[in-house]
């Protein structure tokens, strides 16, 4: 069994004081966890706080985006090396909100993944279909295209050691969750796609589920054979809810 990873995606939420109490809450609640990896992907301004408050704990720090370029005249952007400088271990690449609102596509996402790895960060590559695509029976072709678009650009070996998050767009922030069977089917499809090219990479690849995962549905989702963790949006803004999901991972991994 792959060790579960529960990663919070705070999105553009919080303040200095709420970030501080959330980070402290997660650190103290995560102390007893030994079989589950935990990370929080915070907004850029709170990275410094995250670096200091997570120091000495097992909770890893992550960011939600990075620049396609390594450095220089790119006003408003943040490089992978800057994230690493603040102690980040993870960075989310290609979240559906960035694909939809900021025009990210396979070319820019692949470039960001390269920059992440160059900087020593682990990319969390997000893929997922819209409701319209699901209803049209296109889920596998959409996800297959998203994955193939990255492989064509940076090769299958770039999937060695990364994390993938399957996030059905229709389940993000909506309260609608994929059923464990629906999610498992897509996770198995993703693993199969990678396995067709490199079996050993597929075998160890962690595929997280994201889309309204909460304390009440986490155990059932995390209990599926190809669901290796969660990318948690809304529920990661409450230390209690986030930690309850981490506990679900811990119990299944026990
Ligand atoms: C996300 O945006 O990565 C996510 C999974 O959000 P939520 O848990 O709120 O659906």
């Amino acid at each position: 069994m792959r060790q579960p990873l529960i990663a919070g995606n705070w999105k553009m939420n919080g303040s200095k004081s709420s970030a501080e109490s959330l980070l402290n809450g997660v650190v103290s609640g995560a102390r007893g966890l030994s079989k589950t990896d935990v990370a929080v992907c915070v907004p850029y301004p709170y990275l410094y706080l995250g670096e200091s408050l997570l120091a000495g704990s097992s909770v890893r720090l992550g960011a939600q985006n990075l620049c396609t370029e390594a450095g220089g005249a790119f006003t408003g952007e943040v490089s992978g090396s800057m994230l690493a400088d603040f102690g980040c271990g993870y960075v989310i690449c290609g979240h559906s909100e960035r694909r939809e609102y900021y025009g990210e596509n396979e070319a820019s996402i692949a470039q960001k993944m390269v920059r992440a790895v160059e900087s020593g960060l682990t990319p969390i590559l997000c893929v997922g279909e819209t409701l319209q695509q699901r209803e049209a029976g296109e889920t596998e072709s959409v996800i297959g295209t998203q994955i193939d678009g990255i492989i064509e650009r940076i090769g299958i070996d770039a999937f060695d050691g990364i994390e993938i998050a399957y996030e059905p767009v229709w389940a993000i922030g909506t309260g609608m969750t994929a059923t464990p069977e629906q999610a498992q089917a897509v996770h198995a499809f993703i693993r199969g796609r990678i396995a067709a090219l490199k079996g050993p990479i597929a075998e160890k690849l962690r595929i997280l589920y994201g889309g309204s995962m909460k304390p009440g549905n986490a155990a059932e989702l995390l209990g599926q054979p190809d669901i290796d963790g969660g990318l948690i949006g809304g529920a990661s803004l409450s230390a209690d809810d986030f930690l309850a999901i981490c506990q679900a991972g811990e119990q299944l991994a026990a």
Side-chain angles (χ1 to χ4, degrees):
M1 185 186 176
R2 293 163 287 267
Q3 173 142 329
L5 167 65
I6 307 295
N9 172 15
W10 290 8
K11 310 194 186 194
M12 194 174 71
N13 289 296
S15 62
K16 229 182 340 174
S17 74
S18 71
E20 185 172 346
S21 60
L22 190 46
L23 287 163
N24 282 331
V26 171
V27 165
S28 67
R31 260 187 211 117
L33 302 172
S34 59
K35 300 178 190 71
T36 304
D37 294 331
V38 179
V40 284
C41 299
V42 309
Y44 292 144
Y46 307 135
L47 285 174
Y48 187 60
L49 195 59
E51 184 186 29
S52 64
L53 295 180
L54 300 185
S57 86
S58 59
V59 180
R60 306 276 305 279
L61 186 63
Q64 301 167 20
N65 185 31
L66 80 167
C67 185
T68 51
E69 308 303 323
F74 299 98
T75 302
E77 291 292 315
V78 173
S79 70
S81 61
M82 290 173 180
L83 300 179
D85 202 18
F86 278 86
C88 281
Y90 291 104
V91 62
I92 297 172
C93 295
H95 190 281
S96 63
E97 287 153 13
R98 297 213 54 88
R99 292 177 190 254
E100 186 180 350
Y101 306 138
Y102 302 99
E104 292 200 6
N105 54 30
E106 271 64 49
S108 58
I109 296 163
Q111 182 68 9
K112 287 178 183 208
M113 290 173 67
V114 169
R115 293 296 179 211
V117 172
E118 273 174 8
S119 307
L121 305 169
T122 301
I124 302 175
L125 167 66
C126 297
V127 297
E129 82 289 2
T130 64
L131 187 56
Q132 200 186 14
Q133 290 164 336
R134 172 164 282 268
E135 286 175 349
E138 295 169 358
T139 300
E140 291 193 353
S141 72
V142 167
I143 308 257
T145 302
Q146 290 171 342
I147 290 178
D148 294 351
I150 303 293
I151 296 173
E152 279 157 22
R153 288 172 174 87
I154 59 175
I156 186 65
D157 290 334
F159 283 66
D160 194 5
I162 74 161
E163 321 281 353
I164 291 186
Y166 166 55
E167 299 209 303
V169 177
W170 49 273
I172 296 179
T174 58
M176 281 167 71
T177 314
T179 64
E181 295 71 28
Q182 283 173 323
Q184 164 58 27
V186 179
H187 283 231
F189 168 77
I190 293 171
R191 199 178 306 286
R193 194 85 169 191
I194 307 286
L197 297 170
K198 274 268 166 88
I201 292 181
E203 191 46 44
K204 70 174 194 192
L205 182 70
R206 283 196 291 207
I207 308 175
L208 318 181
Y209 169 79
S212 300
M213 193 187 271
K214 311 181 260 295
N217 60 25
E220 239 196 320
L221 286 160
L222 295 171
Q224 301 299 311
D226 287 293
I227 301 186
D228 309 309
L231 184 56
I232 319 297
S236 72
L237 298 174
S238 149
D240 286 349
D241 286 355
F242 184 63
L243 289 162
I245 296 171
C246 297
Q247 279 298 344
E250 184 82 358
Q251 263 145 41
L252 286 161

